[in-house]
Amino acid sequence: MSDFDSLAQIVISGDFGGAKTLTQKMIDNGVDPLEIINQGLMAGMNVVGVRFKAGDMYVPEVMMSARAMSTGIELVKPLIADKDMPSAGKVLIGTVKGDLHDIGKKLVVMMMESAGFEIIDLGVDIDPATFVKGVKEHKPQVIGMSALLTTTMLSMKDTVEALKKEGLRDTVKIIIGGAPITQGFADQIGADGYAPDAATATELCRRLIA
Ligand code: B1M
């Protein structure tokens, strides 16, 4: 098995100690940092995404894998000039107004970061005006909104309307998710997409940005 395959396997198993040791060994051996990311760390996380979506991996395991991936990335990052660091796109994300649930959103963030997206995480209880301000300031390609309460999902519609009012709606793609959200609701409020889980959300962003 090559070091790349071993590193991918280490990420899949969520072994952050192993990720640190092998990434450092590969750096010391002069392996290209971008290859360490793409063929080792990200390759492993891609498998995690597929397995999680299929129900073969669970939330705590995915979090361990994401941590293993981050451990490797942190070692490699200083060796890569900013211009070389691959960015899949910029995503502004938050849990909507009145809603404090963020475990799922954090998972979405981890998965997207692992896939090379630049994430601006606004946090929880984010009102439409703050999303609008975030779009003006950060100019993301995608806005992601999360809601876990049936009472707060309506704030997603308010945010879409607020973006329209400010003339910003056509500058970004909007994706939504969270336990009570459906594709039908996404269509109803004029979002560009809905994802039932973190892996699908990441794929959706890739598709919308492409
Ligand atoms: Co709350 N809670 N909670 N809660 N809570 C639920 C959601 C609830 C279903 C429990 C129940 O009654 N059975 C219920 C909602 C009922 C409803 O509206 N239909 C509920 C309630 C009522 C409440 C309170 C009102 C309780 C009270 O105070 N009376 C209160 C509200 C507080 C508030 O938000 N204002 C409350 C509080 C809390 C805690 C603070 C205690 C805690 C949250 C801690 C935290 O998040 N930091 C909590 C928790 C943990 C839950 C449950 C048990 C678990 C949620 C979770 O983390 N799931 C939940 C019951 C349940 O779901 N079994 C419940 C794991 C997580 C990985 O899944 O968040 O679905 P999930 O995320 C998934 C997908 O949905 C998707 O990807 C994720 C990963 O695959 N996804 C996206 C999520 N966001 C996405 C965004 C995307 C795309 C995909 O694109 C941008």
Side-chain angles (χ1 to χ4, degrees), residues 142-188:
V142 177
I143 295 184
M145 288 187 273
S146 178
L148 264 286
L149 299 173
T150 42
T151 46
T152 58
M153 53 195 273
L154 292 175
S155 180
M156 293 175 160
K157 183 174 190 296
D158 296 342
T159 303
V160 175
E161 295 306 322
L163 288 164
K164 276 186 191 159
K165 208 166 156 196
E166 293 285 328
L168 294 167
R169 174 64 187 95
D170 295 334
T171 68
V172 282
K173 300 290 184 191
I174 300 175
I175 69 163
I176 61 175
I181 308 301
T182 60
Q183 182 62 53
F185 182 70
D187 296 341
Q188 194 187 315

Side-chain angles (χ1 to χ4, degrees), residues 17-186:
K20 189 174 180 184
T21 307
L22 184 53
T23 303
Q24 190 58 56
K25 184 188 138 199
M26 291 168 86
I27 292 170
D28 295 344
N29 287 343
V31 179
D32 181 339
L34 281 180
E35 286 183 8
I36 297 177
I37 292 180
N38 291 327
Q39 294 178 42
L41 299 165
M42 278 200 187
M45 208 57 204
N46 286 340
V47 174
V48 171
V50 172
R51 290 193 186 168
F52 178 57
K53 202 173 155 186
D56 294 335
M57 278 180 86
Y58 299 100
V59 172
E61 295 167 295
V62 174
M63 288 183 156
M64 300 273 282
S65 291
R67 186 166 164 206
M69 156 116 192
S70 307
T71 306
I73 294 273
E74 286 313 308
L75 288 173
V76 171
K77 226 181 196 171
L79 307 173
I80 300 172
D82 274 355
K83 65 178 172 52
D84 294 332
M85 193 70 182
S87 170
K90 201 190 273 186
V91 181
L92 182 83
I93 192 164
T95 301
V96 299
K97 186 172 186 278
D99 203 320
L100 304 176
H101 295 85
D102 68 351
I103 296 170
K105 184 207 66 184
K106 280 184 179 159
L107 208 55
V108 172
V109 167
M110 278 187 200
M111 204 68 114
M112 286 188 181
E113 277 179 342
S114 302
F117 287 95
E118 182 188 342
I119 306 292
I120 298 121
D121 186 353
L122 296 175
V124 296
D125 192 18
I126 304 303
D127 62 17
T130 306
F131 275 111
V132 167
K133 188 165 164 263
V135 171
K136 286 180 181 165
E137 195 178 325
H138 300 287
K139 302 189 171 31
Q141 281 121 320
V142 177
I143 295 184
M145 288 187 273
S146 178
L148 264 286
L149 299 173
T150 42
T151 46
T152 58
M153 53 195 273
L154 292 175
S155 180
M156 293 175 160
K157 183 174 190 296
D158 296 342
T159 303
V160 175
E161 295 306 322
L163 288 164
K164 276 186 191 159
K165 208 166 156 196
E166 293 285 328
L168 294 167
R169 174 64 187 95
D170 295 334
T171 68
V172 282
K173 300 290 184 191
I174 300 175
I175 69 163
I176 61 175
I181 308 301
T182 60
Q183 182 62 53
F185 182 70

